[in-house]
Amino acid sequence: MGSLRSLHLAAGNWFRLCERNAFSSPWLTRNSDLKRINGFCTKPQESPKTPSQTYTHRVPLHKPTDWEKKILIWSGRFKKEDEIPETISFEMLDAAKNKMRVKISYVMIALTVAGCILMVIEGKKAARRHESLTSLNLEKKARLREEAAMKAKTE
């Protein structure tokens, strides 16, 4: 019984050691300002930063192509091509593209509904003429049998 308990303790210690080694690397890369000492985390002493270090955030700009200019106009962002600036933000372009995707999907939905209604109308007309897929297939098979019989007689 004693050897089983010692084996269990050794396995637990080994698991904790592996867990510490496996998770310490990604953990430290996420929080690089923390130091790990004997399994505990401590924050380093922060030195006062000088106000001369300022961070200015600039949005990356993009020069639109002719196709992207048309998308911006069709989406309603600009009225004329002359109004479009030389460079635009990616967010503005993405918003215009998303608006166009939605408009195109609405058109596709409308065309699908129109196509379904057209097929129902055509099907009802064919039913009035007593045309069905079954009758068309039977006529086709009869015609093929006649052609095969004619071919057999000629040979």
Side-chain angles (χ1 to χ4, degrees), residues 49-66:
K49 293 185 179 180
T50 60
S52 64
Q53 296 175 345
T54 58
Y55 177 73
T56 57
H57 179 69
R58 285 192 57 212
V59 177
L61 298 177
H62 171 70
K63 184 176 180 186
T65 62
D66 292 335

Side-chain angles (χ1 to χ4, degrees), residues 1-16:
M1 202 58 153
S3 65
L4 184 60
R5 179 166 171 75
S6 63
L7 182 63
H8 180 69
L9 286 174
N13 288 337
W14 181 81
F15 180 76
R16 270 187 245 112

Side-chain angles (χ1 to χ4, degrees), residues 10-150:
N13 288 337
W14 181 81
F15 180 76
R16 270 187 245 112
L17 179 66
C18 288
E19 185 180 60
R20 181 182 296 168
N21 289 338
F23 293 113
S24 66
S25 176
W27 186 79
L28 285 176
T29 55
R30 271 193 317 234
N31 301 324
S32 60
D33 60 336
L34 297 178
K35 290 184 179 177
R36 191 173 177 114
I37 301 171
N38 294 333
F40 297 105
C41 297
T42 59
K43 284 191 175 181
Q45 293 286 338
E46 293 185 18
S47 61
K49 293 185 179 180
T50 60
S52 64
Q53 296 175 345
T54 58
Y55 177 73
T56 57
H57 179 69
R58 285 192 57 212
V59 177
L61 298 177
H62 171 70
K63 184 176 180 186
T65 62
D66 292 335
W67 177 248
E68 291 170 342
K69 287 181 182 180
K70 288 181 183 181
I71 289 175
L72 287 167
I73 293 170
W74 291 338
S75 68
R77 182 71 178 165
F78 298 100
K79 299 292 180 191
K80 297 177 185 175
E81 195 169 323
D82 301 336
E83 296 175 3
I84 301 173
E86 284 289 318
T87 57
I88 59 171
S89 66
F90 284 108
E91 288 83 14
M92 182 188 298
L93 186 60
D94 286 341
K97 285 181 180 180
N98 288 337
K99 205 170 199 180
M100 285 304 299
R101 282 186 196 107
V102 170
K103 286 182 180 182
I104 289 171
S105 65
Y106 284 157
V107 168
M108 289 172 60
I109 289 169
L111 289 175
T112 302
V113 170
C116 290
I117 292 170
L118 181 69
M119 288 298 116
V120 168
I121 292 170
E122 289 295 319
K124 287 186 178 187
K125 284 182 183 177
R128 275 190 237 127
R129 292 188 305 254
H130 302 292
E131 290 179 3
S132 67
L133 289 176
T134 306
S135 63
L136 291 174
N137 283 336
L138 289 174
E139 289 174 9
K140 182 179 176 183
K141 286 181 181 179
R143 189 176 67 243
L144 290 174
R145 282 190 197 119
E146 286 177 11
E147 288 175 5
M150 294 293 280

